[in-house]
Amino acid sequence: MADNCCSTQLIDGEGSFNVQGLDRFVSTTKLSECGLSYAVVAIMGPQSSGKSTLMNHLFHTNFREMDAFRGRGQTTKGIWMAKCVGIEPFTIGMDLEGTDGRERGEDDTTFEKQSALFALAVADIVIINMWCHDIGREQAANKPLLKTVFQVMMRLFSPRKTTLLFVIRDKTKTPLEYLEPILREDVQKIWDSVPKPQAHQDTPLSEFFNVEVTALSSFEEKEQQFKEQVAQLRERFFHSISPGGLAGDRRGVVPASAFAFSALQIWKIIKENKDLDLPAHKVMVATVRCEEIANEKLCCLKSDEGWLELEEAVEAGPVSGFGKNVSSILERYLSEYDMEATYFEEGVRNAKREQLETKALDLVHPVYVTLLGHLRSKALEDFKSRLEQSLSRGEGFAASVCACTEYSLAEFDKGSKDASIKQADWDASKVREKLHRDIETHASSVCSAKLSEMTAKYENKLTEALSHPVESLFESGEKDTWASIRKLLKRETDAAVAKYSTAIVGFELDEATVDAQLQHLRDFARNVVEKKAREDAGKVLIRMKDRFSTVFNHDNDSMPRVWTGKEDIRAITKDARSASLKLLSVMAAVRLDEKPDKIEDVLVSSLMDGTITTQSSQNRGVGATTDPLASSSWEEVPPKCTLITPVQCKSMWRQFKSETEYTVTQALSAQEAHKRNNNWLPPPWAIAAMLILGFNEFMLLLKNPLYLMVLFVGFLLSKALWVQLDVAGQFRHGPVAGILSISSRFLPTIMNLLKRLAEEAQGQGQQQQQQQQQTPTAPRPYPVDSHSFKNESSSSNPTSTVIPDSSVSSSNVSYSDSGMEYSSPNQMHRRSSKAEAEYS
């Protein structure tokens, strides 16, 4: 007997299934590698009928045999199995416990039925070992056995066709040709007598069994002949599963890799005394085993070194040949699954294969997505670098974007195709669309940046081209200043727009965008001029004073003036103020739209011609005014174009006159000094007095100062009356109207003047007494400076007549337009009355 038969007890006498032993048997004999190329042979028969001996001689196994010298009794308990040595294909021999044994008793037939059902469900060939002398006997030992076989066969819902090989032991001289018909007739009778389900009432025996009969001589009496016959019988077991072989139809055979699991499940069902549905059992076994195989392959895939290397490499960046390598790995494990599961039920096998493929692809998909992400990032970076290089070479923006986009998308398509997996139909279009969006976003960003850079460049050029020339034009302050500015603005703007239009051709922008960009450039140029105008408007007072100083102190040849006494300071002052006022009118508003306005006329008529009148006492309460500068806006000039409001112009003019008055005074003083230094004659008034009074009377006046004081007071009163009556103004409407108006106002004016003088004198006396009482030792205050009073008066209303109230000395009379000032005799004036008269 061979040692590699691996004899194992599959089920013990108590019905316990030896799972570990079966697994060890499968592993040792490599049964799982056989697929469907294996057969199972089981032997049944009465106890001590030589079953183990027959199996050992027939298949070279080493089942335990009965020792005849120790008596007859039960040798095999339960079910044993072993590999049939030297038989092709792989054949498993199963030795069942004998029937009709005294150890179990007459009534204990449960295990016999269970083992018989197990053998019919598992074995392809069932050997019925029987004695020759039992053939033809009604109560022979083989009849209960056959009844048991046929009865349990009915418990199989869809039984497969099994080969029943009747082996007649200890054959006598009766030929087999006579024994076989008798045996078949007995078997048929037993089949007919066995109760059957309604579905199989008329089913013939041949639908369930292939009945084969053979005979063997006595092993004890004719051993050599027995062995020769066994050897001939052994030949029939070679290629038993081939078409026409000894095995049955093999409909219920499970693959060898599931044999252990299938056998265990069949025995559990039998032990639970349930009917056995072999097709359903086959599906169940296929489901379990295919799932086990699929899980095993999936685990192998997860731990595959090649896959792990690819997974790690993809984390770092794109991997060339990813799809091909992954497809190869998946194909290998799917092929292994197909190889191991090929013999299982097709529907189950394919379903589990799909599940395995789905799980494998689920394992691969995140890595695939990561790889596509790397491809997208790489393509985007390539686009950025190529676009930058293309633009640095001076190529058109739109053409560069188009070429770089096509290249990057082609590279991505190439990479995604390389990453595609044969077993999957994954679509990279969404990632490609995202790449396209990212490229468009970056291109738009670069386009905006380039346009902004280009726009800033031309804005800087416009700023340089406009700022200094516009400032120079504002400094000149000529009548055509704004016309020159408009001409300059148009010329520089048109030039910049033309160059800008040429520069952005390569961007291939739509017409609306181009128009918007060009309009932005035009607006910027206009804003530069407006901003410069607003800046210079803040410096207009300084420039007015500079203009006044330039015109006043220089002649037409730009030579400094020397005040010799021949110059007409009044005319020069008027010209200088007129030039300054023209500068103010230029800076009063922005005039870029060539719309006519009356700013200069209003300023000249209001500030130079002195047509502004003070509100009369009658309508002062009503609030009416005729001052066109008493407004915060100019007529025909929108607020956004206003630089200096009329009110601001009026206030600025006051300040201007106040700050330039000293220059005029100095000129008058210089002219007077020059006249005095170059005139040896007495003063004109002295010459006039001598001519009128004669030399003696003139000397009398000089010797008596009281007369001079009386004359001086009279002169002051006359001058005050002249001012109060506004003699020159009254005669503007004709001599008759002037005489009538003066005559009607003469007496009230004299009375009002005397009253004011009296009130002023009384008020000064009371004020001096209060000051002496409060500060007896304090020094006497200085008299009010007439020059400061004049400035104060002119700042409040430069074109109005100032009438002193009760708080001012009666002798202090100011008239801003004429420049005349009078003070009381006890006050000292800072400039001569003659100079003042000439300035006015």
Side-chain angles (χ1 to χ4, degrees):
M1 300 299 175
D3 295 331
N4 57 351
C5 63
C6 301
S7 177
T8 304
Q9 187 179 32
L10 181 63
I11 301 173
D12 63 13
E14 302 299 326
S16 299
F17 197 91
N18 186 7
V19 178
Q20 295 179 352
L22 179 57
D23 291 340
R24 187 165 51 251
F25 171 84
V26 171
S27 175
T28 304
T29 60
K30 299 181 180 180
L31 172 63
S32 58
E33 300 177 3
C34 296
L36 294 179
S37 298
Y38 78 101
V40 180
V41 180
I43 189 169
M44 302 172 61
Q47 181 175 301
S48 304
S49 60
K51 298 186 302 298
S52 300
T53 303
L54 177 59
M55 292 294 286
N56 291 338
H57 283 83
L58 188 60
F59 298 116
H60 300 171
T61 55
N62 58 357
F63 293 124
R64 182 184 175 190
E65 300 178 6
M66 183 187 69
D67 188 356
F69 295 100
R70 293 188 177 182
R72 304 184 67 85
Q74 187 181 49
T75 304
T76 303
K77 293 183 179 181
I79 301 174
W80 286 73
M81 64 182 298
K83 178 183 178 182
C84 299
V85 180
I87 300 295
E88 292 293 337
F90 190 105
T91 303
I92 301 173
M94 298 182 65
D95 188 9
L96 275 65
E97 180 180 322
T99 62
D100 196 22
R102 66 179 183 86
E103 285 79 7
R104 291 193 178 271
E106 182 180 356
D107 298 328
D108 188 9
T109 61
T110 302
F111 187 78
E112 291 180 6
K113 294 180 179 179
Q114 290 175 346
S115 60
L117 181 58
F118 180 78
L120 289 174
V122 173
D124 301 295
I125 304 169
V126 177
I127 299 175
I128 306 297
N129 194 52
M130 59 184 302
W131 300 111
C132 182
H133 55 260
D134 286 337
I135 296 176
R137 299 170 63 181
E138 186 65 27
Q139 301 298 327
N142 63 320
K143 286 190 176 182
L145 174 61
L146 289 175
K147 286 182 179 181
T148 300
V149 171
F150 294 154
Q151 287 173 356
V152 298
M153 178 63 80
M154 295 300 103
R155 293 181 57 187
L156 300 179
F157 284 172
S158 299
R160 60 177 181 158
K161 199 170 184 179
T162 307
T163 298
L164 289 181
L165 178 58
F166 288 89
V167 178
I168 302 173
R169 302 291 299 276
D170 296 349
K171 176 181 173 297
T172 60
K173 293 180 180 180
T174 305
L176 183 60
E177 291 79 5
Y178 295 104
L179 295 176
E180 182 174 353
I182 299 174
L183 179 60
R184 287 183 181 274
E185 184 180 353
D186 292 341
V187 170
Q188 186 64 47
K189 289 180 179 180
I190 297 172
W191 172 257
D192 293 338
S193 64
V194 171
K196 304 178 188 64
Q198 187 67 30
H200 297 292
Q201 286 292 334
D202 300 327
T203 302
L205 176 66
S206 58
E207 288 291 326
F208 290 92
F209 298 102
N210 288 325
V211 178
E212 297 287 339
V213 180
T214 187
L216 297 177
S217 300
S218 174
F219 173 69
E220 295 180 355
E221 296 178 0
K222 301 177 181 179
E223 182 177 356
Q224 187 61 34
Q225 188 177 358
F226 172 82
K227 291 181 179 180
E228 292 175 359
Q229 293 172 349
V230 168
Q232 293 176 0
L233 180 60
R234 176 182 171 87
E235 293 296 327
R236 298 185 62 182
F237 286 93
F238 281 90
H239 309 293
S240 59
I241 63 175
S242 300
L246 192 60
D249 56 8
R250 312 266 300 162
R251 285 178 299 179
V253 178
V254 297
S257 60
F259 175 79
F261 176 77
S262 176
L264 175 60
Q265 296 302 317
I266 288 175
W267 184 249
K268 285 183 178 180
I269 294 174
I270 293 173
K271 286 286 289 182
E272 293 171 0
N273 198 26
K274 295 180 180 179
D275 294 335
L276 181 61
D277 188 355
L278 289 182
H281 173 75
K282 183 180 179 181
V283 172
M284 183 270 294
V285 172
T287 301
V288 174
R289 279 299 300 149
C290 288
E291 188 167 353
E292 289 178 352
I293 296 171
N295 292 336
E296 178 185 351
K297 299 310 171 187
L298 185 61
C299 292
C300 292
L301 172 61
K302 292 179 179 179
S303 59
D304 186 272
E305 293 183 0
W307 162 246
L308 294 176
E309 291 176 0
L310 282 174
E311 186 178 19
E312 184 178 358
V314 168
E315 291 295 328
V319 176
S320 178
F322 174 83
K324 181 179 179 181
N325 293 332
V326 172
S327 297
S328 176
I329 294 173
L330 292 177
E331 185 64 29
R332 183 171 75 249
Y333 286 107
L334 290 175
S335 298
E336 291 179 1
Y337 169 85
D338 292 338
M339 186 180 300
E340 295 185 22
T342 185
Y343 302 113
F344 289 99
E345 202 274 332
E346 183 178 5
V348 176
R349 180 179 73 239
N350 293 337
K352 295 301 178 181
R353 189 186 193 279
E354 290 179 1
Q355 292 181 6
L356 170 62
E357 188 172 350
T358 300
K359 291 181 179 179
L361 292 178
D362 289 342
L363 175 66
V364 174
H365 187 261
V367 183
Y368 172 78
V369 172
T370 302
L371 178 60
L372 289 184
H374 289 314
L375 293 175
R376 182 186 61 82
S377 300
K378 183 177 181 298
L380 182 60
E381 292 301 322
D382 289 344
F383 171 81
K384 292 179 180 179
S385 61
R386 291 178 69 85
L387 179 60
E388 184 177 356
Q389 294 173 5
S390 180
L391 295 178
S392 64
R393 291 194 298 267
E395 299 179 10
F397 180 83
S400 300
V401 169
C402 183
C404 295
T405 300
E406 290 181 358
Y407 177 83
S408 297
L409 291 178
E411 286 296 309
F412 176 82
D413 291 340
K414 181 180 177 181
S416 61
K417 184 177 180 181
D418 179 73
S420 63
I421 299 172
K422 182 175 66 175
Q423 292 80 4
D425 56 350
W426 294 329
D427 186 10
S429 59
K430 291 186 178 180
V431 181
R432 190 180 191 275
E433 290 174 1
K434 187 176 188 308
L435 170 62
H436 201 187
R437 290 195 301 270
D438 292 342
I439 288 176
E440 289 179 347
T441 301
H442 179 73
S444 177
S445 175
V446 173
C447 178
S448 299
K450 293 295 181 181
L451 287 177
S452 298
E453 181 181 348
M454 189 179 302
T455 303
K457 175 183 175 182
Y458 282 92
E459 287 177 352
N460 292 334
K461 288 184 177 180
L462 280 173
T463 302
E464 294 176 1
L466 293 174
S467 293
H468 295 295
V470 168
E471 184 175 6
S472 177
L473 290 172
F474 283 142
E475 288 178 355
S476 64
E478 300 297 335
K479 189 173 183 178
D480 61 345
T481 294
W482 280 108
S484 301
I485 290 175
R486 289 193 294 269
K487 183 177 180 181
L488 172 67
L489 174 62
K490 185 177 185 306
R491 183 178 69 249
E492 296 297 336
T493 302
D494 291 344
V497 166
K499 293 180 180 179
Y500 187 81
S501 300
T502 304
I504 63 175
V505 168
F507 288 86
E508 296 183 6
L509 302 174
D510 57 273
E511 186 177 353
T513 304
V514 173
D515 293 342
Q517 292 291 330
L518 298 181
Q519 186 61 40
H520 169 77
L521 205 59
R522 294 188 185 96
D523 294 341
F524 177 82
R526 183 185 179 98
N527 290 335
V528 169
V529 175
E530 291 182 356
K531 182 179 179 182
K532 197 63 184 176
R534 297 186 187 281
E535 291 178 359
D536 287 10
K539 300 183 288 186
V540 66
L541 182 60
I542 298 174
R543 289 184 176 172
M544 288 172 63
K545 292 190 293 184
D546 291 342
R547 176 65 59 83
F548 179 86
S549 178
T550 300
V551 175
F552 188 82
N553 293 320
H554 296 80
D555 57 17
N556 294 332
D557 297 329
S558 300
M559 298 298 294
R561 296 184 188 274
V562 178
W563 306 105
T564 61
K566 298 178 181 180
E567 297 82 11
D568 187 356
I569 293 181
R570 178 186 294 273
I572 294 172
T573 302
K574 185 175 182 180
D575 292 342
R577 286 180 177 176
S578 178
S580 299
L581 189 61
K582 184 178 294 183
L583 183 61
L584 178 60
S585 68
V586 169
M587 299 305 303
V590 175
R591 300 176 179 89
L592 293 178
D593 298 327
E594 298 189 44
K595 294 181 179 179
D597 60 71
K598 300 178 181 179
I599 295 177
E600 185 175 2
D601 296 340
V602 171
L603 291 177
V604 171
S605 62
S606 301
L607 301 180
M608 288 295 297
D609 296 343
T611 58
I612 300 177
T613 58
T614 308
Q615 298 173 358
S616 63
S617 59
Q618 289 80 6
N619 56 18
R620 187 176 300 168
V622 180
T625 180
T626 59
D627 188 357
L629 297 181
S631 174
S632 60
S633 62
W634 300 102
E635 294 183 3
E636 302 176 353
V637 177
K640 65 177 182 179
C641 294
T642 301
L643 299 177
I644 306 174
T645 63
V647 174
Q648 291 173 337
C649 287
K650 185 176 180 181
S651 176
M652 198 175 296
W653 184 253
R654 289 196 200 102
Q655 187 176 354
F656 164 75
K657 289 184 65 177
S658 175
E659 294 181 5
T660 57
E661 184 180 357
Y662 181 73
T663 302
V664 179
T665 305
Q666 289 295 100
L668 291 171
S669 299
Q671 197 176 49
E672 275 299 311
H674 186 274
K675 289 180 179 180
R676 286 195 301 267
N677 293 335
N678 293 281
N679 191 6
W680 51 271
L681 294 175
W685 63 270
I687 296 175
M690 286 188 294
L691 291 176
I692 297 172
L693 301 177
F695 182 76
N696 293 331
E697 287 77 3
F698 178 69
M699 293 304 295
L700 179 62
L701 289 175
L702 293 177
K703 291 178 181 179
N704 193 345
L706 182 60
Y707 293 153
L708 289 175
M709 185 175 296
V710 172
L711 291 175
F712 183 70
V713 171
F715 173 75
L716 291 178
L717 291 175
S718 300
K719 185 64 176 177
L721 283 173
W722 182 278
V723 172
Q724 291 291 325
L725 293 175
D726 191 14
V727 176
Q730 299 299 331
F731 279 95
R732 291 175 185 170
H733 304 290
V736 177
I739 293 172
L740 293 175
S741 177
I742 291 173
S743 62
S744 63
R745 296 174 58 187
F746 181 76
L747 185 59
T749 301
I750 290 177
M751 297 302 294
N752 185 37
L753 183 61
L754 293 176
K755 181 180 179 181
R756 296 293 295 275
L757 290 174
E759 291 176 355
E760 179 64 21
Q762 184 178 2
Q764 282 187 349
Q766 293 177 357
Q767 184 178 2
Q768 290 177 359
Q769 281 184 347
Q770 291 176 0
Q771 289 179 354
Q772 289 177 358
Q773 290 175 1
Q774 293 175 359
T775 56
T777 60
R780 186 175 181 178
Y782 291 101
V784 179
D785 184 31
S786 62
H787 181 67
S788 62
F789 175 68
K790 178 182 183 301
N791 291 340
E792 182 180 358
S793 301
S794 63
S795 64
S796 62
N797 191 352
T799 61
S800 63
T801 302
V802 179
I803 300 176
D805 56 15
S806 60
S807 63
V808 184
S809 174
S810 61
S811 62
N812 289 339
V813 180
S814 298
Y815 184 68
S816 60
D817 285 345
S818 63
M820 295 293 295
E821 295 184 359
Y822 301 93
S823 302
S824 60
N826 59 351
Q827 293 178 335
M828 298 183 64
H829 202 277
R830 293 193 302 174
R831 60 174 181 257
S832 66
S833 61
K834 183 178 180 180
E836 288 296 325
E838 292 183 359
Y839 163 63
S840 64

